[in-house]
Amino acid sequence: MDLYYADRIEEGLLYRAIESHFVDDVPWEQTRFVQRVIEYLEYGRQNVWQGCSSREDVFARCRRVEEIYRSMRRRGCLSYRELMPPSRREEGFLRFMENEIVVDIGRGGELLLVSGKHRYSIARALELDEIP
């Protein structure tokens, strides 16, 4: 789907929306990503973005992305396991990995982003030096 996939993460609509919103102060509703998500929902598509099924859900999700941004600006990019309360840290490796920024290495040595597009994009917008 055009919302998430591009040859380079920086060319993707999600990355550009996050960068536009947090770096250039563009309102979410003026980003092509959010406009496209709403268009897809209006056409009756399901599971377009993180379980959103209405315009209200889309803007609630935007507010959640803003919370993640504020947390990462304050604390840096922590692993998902570090973000969990100690009582939940023994839930298992795979449970935590599904929420982490995960990369594979391609045959030519290039890094391929597998998951964590939101957090990766926020880390880039914040110009963080490192991410787990």
Side-chain angles (χ1 to χ4, degrees):
M1 208 157 68
D2 66 327
L3 293 174
Y4 302 105
Y5 301 108
D7 288 337
R8 298 187 44 78
I9 187 81
E10 297 82 4
E11 297 167 1
L13 292 180
L14 175 65
Y15 178 87
R16 291 194 316 225
I18 287 173
E19 184 177 59
S20 294
H21 182 73
F22 293 114
V23 176
D24 301 325
D25 207 28
V26 174
W28 285 114
E29 59 271 11
Q30 291 180 18
T31 66
R32 186 67 187 129
F33 178 81
V34 168
Q35 291 171 353
R36 198 81 171 133
V37 167
I38 291 170
E39 286 173 18
Y40 284 144
L41 290 172
E42 289 173 352
Y43 290 139
R45 283 197 179 170
Q46 306 257 330
N47 300 318
V48 177
W49 183 34
Q50 303 284 313
C52 294
S53 60
S54 68
R55 182 182 185 89
E56 294 76 26
D57 289 348
V58 171
F59 291 106
R61 181 65 189 152
C62 289
R63 287 188 297 277
R64 176 65 183 126
V65 171
E66 289 173 357
E67 290 172 15
I68 295 167
Y69 176 88
R70 284 190 298 273
S71 173
M72 288 176 66
R73 186 179 61 208
R74 256 188 341 269
R75 302 166 64 189
C77 186
L78 303 176
S79 72
Y80 193 76
R81 186 172 185 277
E82 291 174 295
L83 294 169
M84 288 291 101
S87 62
R88 293 191 55 207
R89 289 187 183 162
E90 300 307 318
E91 289 183 10
F93 177 75
L94 293 178
R95 167 80 172 95
F96 289 112
M97 288 307 293
E98 67 189 25
N99 294 300
E100 293 291 357
I101 298 170
V102 177
V103 295
D104 281 341
I105 301 173
R107 288 187 178 109
E110 68 278 10
L111 296 177
L112 308 170
L113 184 61
V114 175
S115 68
K117 291 171 185 64
H118 293 80
R119 291 177 70 217
Y120 176 82
S121 297
I122 291 168
R124 291 283 305 267
L126 287 167
E127 298 180 350
L128 297 180
D129 290 332
E130 62 180 46
I131 56 176

